[in-house]
Amino acid sequence: MPRRLPKRLGAPTAVALPRVVDRLGFLYLDTVRIDADRNGVCARVEFDDGKEERVYLPTAGIACVLLGPGTSTTHESVKRLTKDGAAIIHVGDGGVRCYSAFLNDSTSVRLLDRQVEIVSDPERKMTAAKLMYRMRFPEPPPEEVSLSALRGLEGSRMKALYRALAQQHGVRAFKRSYDPDDFDAQDSVNKAYTSANQALYAMATAVILSLGASPALGIVHHGQQRAFALDIADLYKAEVSAPLAFSLHKSTMADRDARYRLREDFRLLRLIPRMIDDIYRVLEMPRGERPERGDIVDLWDPDGNVASGVNYGEEVG
């Protein structure tokens, strides 16, 4: 389970998620200053009574640092974190938005290479798309079923879920709708649902970037910079976004309350280990093949890559 430091007079929030694969960990921080001294990189906060608290970070075991509101970093701390291979991502409170990301040169591109291979191969892309639909069902659908049939089954499943949740919460005649040009005209459930989904997209984007893959190269979705993030987020809407949205049907500020609930419960942060495994599964990356940091840079050649940093001038002329 994630660990949260106790809050005291505006003390930092820190959620350290369990290591889900070798040398892979995520750390969420907010309301702290990330600094570096002779002992290492630390998160520190000064209290109103003048006291200071420091927590040193295990930089060698962190793959991704999620920086929430109220954080600041020094040049030296960023230098040391990225030197040890950590991705630094700026997110909203509780991880419910993804604003920017910085990846170190040592971030492996093996997962990105695999993603490009799958997206470029119609047969492998079809297999991945069918897998992603099957992953959404509590009980797997028949193996020999077309992609269009899976879309239809998934649509029927979500409609049934909406009916069940509406009955559970006493919501009448719910219909999923989203109008970006007139957001305020929507009912509370739709507002909360949209807000929760946006938070899911942000967390999926942060995780995908930290693994070295591309949020833009989607399997099911296509034509948008966060297409693959939409793919991954869709795996969890039925258990995260939809129940939360219906529980807020009486709220007068449902979109805000949805973000607060996700933030305070750390639901998205707890989802990260599972999200990582699902991304690797979709991109055909078994546990034994998962990339380490600092892959060697090669030069591409159709007969097999060759070493970089070598002058090949003697091979011509």
Side-chain angles (χ1 to χ4, degrees), residues 72-109:
S72 62
T73 58
T74 63
H75 181 277
E76 184 64 23
S77 65
V78 171
K79 178 181 175 181
R80 292 195 197 179
L81 279 169
T82 55
K83 181 180 179 181
D84 284 336
I88 298 177
I89 298 179
H90 294 269
V91 299
D93 204 353
V96 298
R97 287 288 186 273
C98 177
Y99 300 119
S100 64
F102 175 76
L103 304 182
N104 186 263
D105 288 345
S106 65
T107 302
S108 173
V109 298

Side-chain angles (χ1 to χ4, degrees), residues 29-42:
L29 296 165
D30 66 34
T31 326
V32 297
R33 178 175 175 82
I34 313 300
D35 208 343
D37 58 26
R38 66 180 64 183
N39 296 316
V41 178
C42 65

Side-chain angles (χ1 to χ4, degrees), residues 24-311:
L24 185 59
F26 283 69
L27 181 70
Y28 168 82
L29 296 165
D30 66 34
T31 326
V32 297
R33 178 175 175 82
I34 313 300
D35 208 343
D37 58 26
R38 66 180 64 183
N39 296 316
V41 178
C42 65
R44 65 183 181 87
V45 62
E46 294 182 358
F47 299 104
D48 292 341
D49 58 6
K51 294 182 179 179
E52 181 181 89
E53 187 172 314
R54 297 190 177 206
V55 177
Y56 283 90
L57 310 182
T59 57
I62 299 175
C64 179
V65 180
L66 303 172
L67 297 180
T71 53
S72 62
T73 58
T74 63
H75 181 277
E76 184 64 23
S77 65
V78 171
K79 178 181 175 181
R80 292 195 197 179
L81 279 169
T82 55
K83 181 180 179 181
D84 284 336
I88 298 177
I89 298 179
H90 294 269
V91 299
D93 204 353
V96 298
R97 287 288 186 273
C98 177
Y99 300 119
S100 64
F102 175 76
L103 304 182
N104 186 263
D105 288 345
S106 65
T107 302
S108 173
V109 298
R110 288 182 58 201
L111 189 63
L112 178 59
D113 287 342
R114 185 68 56 88
Q115 185 180 11
V116 171
E117 291 173 4
I118 292 172
V119 171
S120 303
D121 185 328
E123 291 187 6
R124 293 176 72 180
K125 187 172 184 178
M126 176 67 74
T127 299
K130 288 184 176 181
L131 171 62
M132 296 194 78
Y133 275 110
R134 289 193 179 94
M135 290 168 69
R136 304 186 202 180
F137 292 90
E139 297 181 1
E143 284 292 328
E144 299 301 324
V145 61
S146 67
L147 185 61
S148 60
L150 283 171
R151 280 197 297 264
L153 289 172
E154 169 63 2
S156 298
R157 182 184 78 101
M158 292 304 293
K159 286 183 178 179
L161 175 65
Y162 296 156
R163 287 194 297 269
L165 289 171
Q167 183 176 8
Q168 176 184 345
H169 293 280
V171 177
R172 294 184 179 181
F174 171 77
K175 181 179 179 181
R176 174 59 178 149
S177 65
Y178 171 58
D179 184 358
D181 296 325
D182 194 5
F183 183 79
D184 291 335
Q186 300 171 83
D187 58 53
S188 295
V189 176
N190 274 297
K191 287 182 180 179
Y193 200 13
T194 297
S195 182
N197 286 342
Q198 290 293 335
L200 263 178
Y201 301 152
M203 183 53 67
T205 300
V207 173
I208 291 166
L209 286 169
S210 72
L211 297 178
S214 170
L217 297 180
I219 304 295
V220 175
H221 292 85
H222 177 75
Q224 209 252 16
Q225 280 293 329
R226 291 199 296 174
F228 190 50
L230 303 183
D231 286 348
I232 296 302
D234 276 356
L235 301 177
Y236 318 110
K237 287 181 180 178
E239 61 183 278
V240 176
S241 304
L244 175 59
F246 278 90
S247 72
L248 295 172
H249 69 283
K250 293 183 180 181
S251 172
T252 58
M253 301 187 70
D255 53 329
R256 181 204 63 180
D257 291 344
R259 291 192 296 270
Y260 283 3
R261 287 273 293 275
L262 288 170
R263 181 195 69 188
E264 294 302 323
D265 295 346
F266 290 105
R267 296 188 194 186
L268 297 186
L269 296 178
R270 291 189 177 96
L271 193 62
I272 286 178
R274 179 178 161 194
M275 195 177 286
I276 293 170
D277 282 336
D278 287 341
I279 291 170
Y280 279 130
R281 181 183 175 190
V282 169
L283 297 183
E284 302 176 9
M285 187 71 73
R287 183 172 294 273
E289 296 182 21
R290 296 182 182 182
E292 292 284 345
R293 300 175 184 149
D295 285 0
I296 297 174
V297 177
D298 292 328
L299 301 180
W300 178 82
D301 189 276
D303 297 324
N305 291 356
V306 297
S308 64
V310 176
N311 190 324

